[in-house]
Amino acid sequence: MKIAIAADHGGFELKSRMIKYYEKQGLVLTDLGTYSQDSVDYPDIAAAMAKNILDGAADLGILICGTGIGISIAANRHKGIRAAILYSDDAARLAREHNNANIAVFGGRTMTFEEAVRRFDIFLSAKYEGGRHDRRLCKLDID
Ligand code: RB5
């Protein structure tokens, strides 16, 4: 499973901590930036992640901005992207089981590191249920 991670300046610190944490667990996350605390625009970060996933370079992504809101709105403008803010442990599981989310989103200023890694672990271990959800996912992309 190839996993990429990216953040704007509001998520830079959480991104750095998550990369180090998962590296120690034996899971290398591909870092798509940003690479400093300097201010950047979250739509650019979301676009880099969307391209990475849609090109098949990564299977799943993690996106982080200050609240998780702007970067998820931006990511979800890309056809084929299903980015979900993991605002609770249940949401982390359901984002995979029901929505087949391909990007997990966190708020660097609204969530703790512990919440983020716990929820991402739940997200990773959950499986898409298919069935009735296929019909709904087919209706997501509007031309
Ligand atoms: C950047 O200051 C901030 O607006 C951004 O990280 C995010 O929270 C937007 O939704």
Side-chain angles (χ1 to χ4, degrees):
M1 174 83 69
K2 293 171 290 178
I3 302 170
I5 187 167
D8 76 352
H9 52 288
F12 175 76
E13 195 183 322
L14 178 57
K15 172 170 74 70
S16 306
R17 289 188 71 183
M18 289 184 81
I19 289 170
K20 282 192 201 116
Y21 172 84
Y22 281 109
E23 203 170 280
K24 281 192 193 142
Q25 309 287 314
L27 178 62
V28 176
L29 305 176
T30 304
D31 187 359
L32 304 179
T34 185
Y35 302 109
S36 79
Q37 304 265 20
D38 296 346
S39 182
V40 292
D41 297 335
Y42 58 77
D44 298 333
I45 303 295
M49 175 62 78
K51 185 175 181 343
N52 210 259
I53 289 181
L54 296 172
D55 286 353
D59 304 303
L60 292 176
I62 300 171
L63 279 175
I64 313 166
C65 68
T67 59
I69 296 171
I71 211 158
S72 58
I73 292 172
N76 280 315
R77 297 288 175 99
H78 297 264
K79 198 171 177 177
I81 293 298
R82 294 175 301 279
I85 304 184
L86 306 189
Y87 57 86
S88 71
D89 294 0
D90 278 345
R93 178 176 54 79
L94 291 166
R96 290 291 282 157
E97 289 180 355
H98 288 192
N99 310 111
N100 200 16
N102 48 16
I103 299 180
V105 184
F106 300 105
R109 296 171 181 151
T110 58
M111 297 178 194
T112 65
F113 165 76
E114 289 75 17
E115 286 170 336
V117 295
R118 186 179 70 243
R119 291 173 192 169
F120 190 64
D121 287 344
I122 293 169
F123 180 85
L124 266 189
S125 59
K127 300 267 174 303
Y128 177 52
E129 288 176 354
R132 69 191 187 281
H133 303 295
D134 280 340
R135 186 178 71 242
R136 294 160 186 167
L137 295 196
C138 285
K139 295 181 178 180
L140 287 177
D141 289 325
I142 299 158
D143 289 321

